[in-house]
Amino acid sequence: MENSRASLMFKVVAVAAIGLTATFVMLVQDPDTLFGGGYPELWRRTGLAGAPTRAAACIFAGVFLLAMGWLYRLLFAPLELLRGVDEVGYIAEDGRSRAQAANEVRRRRKTGELPPVYPNGWYRVLDSHLLERGDVKSVTVLGQQVAVFRGQDGKAYVVDAYCPHLGANLAVGGRVVGGCIECPFHGWQFRGTDGKCVRIPYADKVPEFAKVRCWPSCEINGQVLVWFHCDGLEPSWRVPEQSEITRGEWVYRGRTEHFINAHIEEIPENAADIAHLAHLHTPGIVSGVDLRYTNSKTWEFIRHDWKVEWKPEPEPDKHCSQMLVKHALTVFGRHWPLLDLDVVARQVGPGVVFLLFEHSFLGRGVIMHCVTPVEPLLQCVSHTIFYQSTIPPLVPKFILRAECIQVMHNLNEM
């Protein structure tokens, strides 16, 4: 809500600035009519009087608006960093593109015996702010194509994408009618709560078997999630609510998204590998994400120090575990206590991690780290940050950017 108000305010200011500039440009014919004086002699000698003046004013206004837009994105707009599968962990050589390198690795990969590719649990489908009332989104998750839509009642629903009638994709051209989604081919309407067809425009009676699969879903912590169980069982546990997000005390400040060629098990296993932190994540974030250069002597003046403790949780939360992380920063060998940061990483099932930040000066917030299988060996790894509304957006955006760099270190290693 806060981001929407800021965006609206910026748009109003931009429209007002354009209007005032246009008015000024139309009026600038001769300053005699505006200010009671003539053009400065220098203007007349250099040809800036009349039409050139209007052109100069247009250029100035354009540069000013571009600068204002850049400043707004820097200071107020959420950070959005989205990376495709060919942008993570591949080095293009011999004239090949990174996409070609990624595809070649996927073709040559030997899978062998695999652990379950879709473990039982809750998985993020998309962030709530991306689904407005009446919107329909097409998403691939857990090897299935699904249609995610928000009914006119404001509730989010997830159903199989393909209409059982003739196989039309409900997410491509389908529209929301009340709490139902309407097929774009013949207008069949399927209820979001249970997937049952409730209306066929050209039929008086709807067959009982006319229905689409409805996925168990929930909307919590600013995200829409679905439940998966290999035997089709109902959810046996719930994703905990972060009350600060629900109350609006922590607001959305950005997200990152990476598509990774890996088995889902590799990602939480990497996080639980405490030993790698001191070696891989000691170089400063200014050294970049390319592991060939992160240990360059150029960046040795800035180092990260990590202290980590990992522990499982008892019943009834055996699907959860916690990692307590203490971070310190040294610059030219000197410890800077102001930048010390405590993080509690709570793994909830295979697909959701709460990264809770607390700092004496920079405030509190959470990064929702989610891993969602797209297909057996392709994962969507997302990080969505919510932070105290009283803290300037630059702070959480910097934290998210730093987290993204550390994540890229891990992904380039895998």
Side-chain angles (χ1 to χ4, degrees):
M1 186 65 70
E2 179 181 318
N3 291 327
S4 299
R5 286 198 296 266
S7 177
L8 179 62
M9 181 180 69
F10 174 75
K11 290 176 182 176
V12 169
V13 171
V15 169
I18 292 173
L20 289 172
T21 303
T23 303
F24 175 75
V25 170
M26 294 298 292
L27 290 174
V28 174
Q29 296 176 358
D30 191 328
D32 284 334
T33 62
L34 293 176
F35 308 112
Y39 287 114
E41 186 63 25
L42 180 61
W43 281 31
R44 295 186 184 279
R45 289 180 182 176
T46 55
L48 289 178
T53 306
R54 292 194 292 273
C58 286
I59 293 172
F60 173 79
V63 171
F64 174 76
L65 289 175
L66 287 173
M68 288 294 291
W70 176 83
L71 196 61
Y72 165 76
R73 288 192 297 273
L74 176 67
L75 297 178
F76 302 109
L79 178 65
E80 304 276 349
L81 294 173
L82 311 178
R83 298 288 183 264
V85 69
D86 60 316
E87 297 178 275
V88 179
Y90 294 97
I91 299 173
E93 295 177 335
D94 304 325
R96 296 176 302 169
S97 67
R98 296 183 69 166
Q100 289 171 326
N103 288 331
E104 187 173 327
V105 168
R106 295 186 74 183
R107 284 196 304 269
R108 292 181 176 179
R109 178 169 50 199
K110 295 181 180 179
T111 56
E113 293 293 327
L114 292 174
V117 292
Y118 305 138
N120 302 334
W122 288 97
Y123 296 97
R124 168 190 173 271
V125 178
L126 50 75
D127 293 337
S128 296
H129 73 276
L130 300 176
L131 192 69
E132 299 289 343
R133 194 184 299 263
D135 277 357
V136 184
K137 301 289 185 182
S138 177
V139 181
T140 303
V141 57
L142 298 155
Q144 302 288 324
Q145 194 79 14
V146 298
V148 187
F149 69 97
R150 191 178 297 282
Q152 299 301 339
D153 57 359
K155 187 175 180 182
Y157 302 98
V158 183
V159 299
D160 276 354
Y162 298 108
C163 178
H165 179 212
L166 289 178
N169 191 330
L170 300 174
V172 181
R175 69 186 185 100
V176 175
V177 180
C180 302
I181 185 168
E182 183 181 87
C183 176
F185 272 27
H186 297 92
W188 290 28
Q189 293 179 7
F190 299 93
R191 194 161 51 205
T193 52
D194 57 9
K196 189 179 187 311
C197 181
V198 296
R199 181 176 183 269
I200 299 176
Y202 48 85
D204 296 329
K205 185 179 179 181
V206 178
E208 285 296 322
F209 60 82
K211 65 184 303 183
V212 67
R213 178 190 177 189
C214 182
W215 290 64
S217 63
C218 70
E219 188 167 13
I220 192 168
N221 303 326
Q223 298 181 323
V224 179
L225 302 102
V226 294
W227 168 264
F228 174 84
H229 194 283
C230 60
D231 296 323
L233 300 182
E234 291 298 310
S236 55
W237 50 270
R238 295 285 177 182
V239 175
E241 178 186 49
Q242 192 69 43
S243 58
E244 292 89 346
I245 297 176
T246 306
R247 295 196 301 264
E249 297 170 9
W250 293 358
V251 296
Y252 172 76
R253 292 304 189 197
R255 69 186 175 103
T256 67
E257 196 171 87
H258 301 82
F259 285 87
I260 313 302
N261 279 321
H263 189 285
I264 184 173
E265 187 175 309
E266 295 182 75
I267 296 170
E269 278 185 350
N270 181 272
D273 177 16
I274 297 174
H276 90 285
L277 284 172
H279 184 74
L280 182 65
H281 296 291
T282 292
I285 59 173
V286 292
S287 62
V289 300
D290 193 325
L291 298 185
R292 295 172 296 175
Y293 310 114
T294 52
N295 284 305
S296 168
K297 292 187 179 298
T298 306
W299 308 110
E300 282 188 344
F301 68 93
I302 182 169
R303 313 295 281 177
H304 299 282
D305 181 49
W306 309 89
K307 289 184 173 60
V308 183
E309 179 186 351
W310 180 269
K311 62 180 181 180
E313 295 187 20
E315 288 284 9
D317 296 324
K318 287 196 72 174
H319 57 279
C320 301
S321 59
Q322 289 192 26
M323 184 167 70
L324 310 178
V325 182
K326 290 186 175 294
H327 166 266
L329 186 72
T330 58
V331 181
F332 293 109
R334 181 178 178 182
H335 176 217
W336 290 70
L338 184 64
L339 297 177
D340 287 355
L341 188 65
D342 292 335
V343 181
V344 177
R346 190 185 188 207
Q347 178 93 35
V348 182
V352 180
V353 180
F354 291 73
L355 297 172
L356 290 158
F357 293 82
E358 186 165 357
H359 191 276
S360 57
F361 176 69
L362 300 178
R364 300 170 62 238
V366 63
I367 291 180
M368 300 299 301
H369 163 78
C370 298
V371 182
T372 302
V374 179
E375 55 188 59
L377 294 175
L378 179 64
Q379 314 301 320
C380 175
V381 180
S382 65
H383 293 80
T384 306
I385 190 168
F386 295 88
Y387 217 80
Q388 279 182 253
S389 59
T390 54
I391 299 296
L394 269 178
V395 172
K397 288 169 69 174
F398 172 79
I399 292 174
L400 184 61
R401 172 75 74 167
E403 171 69 12
C404 180
I405 291 173
Q406 299 292 358
V407 167
M408 289 288 285
H409 284 167
N410 280 329
L411 299 179
N412 287 337
E413 177 193 35
M414 293 175 66

